[in-house]
Amino acid sequence: MTRRAFDETAQNLQASILEHCARFFEERGLPFDKAAYEAQSSYRLDDVTRELLFFGAEIFPDSMQIASSDRITIAA
């Protein structure tokens, strides 16, 4: 996967996670302040999304491909 395609996928995943969180709280009648979360979070969501892609889906940008017989390379 090209670096650009990887970054777009990570950004889309991050947006999806935030949308899901907002919907989760809304369905329970609880407030969710995205700006406050982003300003005060103890970790970076972009790091989490990259780790989900790396370790959960084994998706890496071309520049980071690691040789493995069981790893699938996705062409963008």
Side-chain angles (χ1 to χ4, degrees):
M1 175 178 280
T2 66
R3 181 60 188 219
R4 182 176 179 183
F6 178 86
D7 289 344
E8 286 178 11
T9 301
Q11 289 171 354
N12 290 339
L13 177 57
Q14 182 174 339
S16 178
I17 290 169
L18 287 172
E19 288 171 17
H20 177 76
C21 288
R23 200 168 38 253
F24 176 89
F25 289 111
E26 182 181 307
E27 288 170 355
R28 287 154 180 80
L30 301 168
F32 178 70
D33 187 338
K34 178 184 168 199
Y37 161 76
E38 291 175 336
Q40 299 175 34
S41 177
S42 61
Y43 66 93
R44 293 176 41 158
L45 189 54
D46 57 335
D47 289 339
V48 173
T49 55
R50 280 193 302 275
E51 288 183 357
L52 285 166
L53 292 172
F54 291 162
F55 308 125
E58 292 191 355
I59 297 173
F60 297 83
D62 293 335
S63 61
M64 293 183 65
Q65 287 298 321
I66 300 169
S68 171
S69 61
D70 63 343
R71 177 153 293 131
I72 298 171
T73 300
I74 299 174

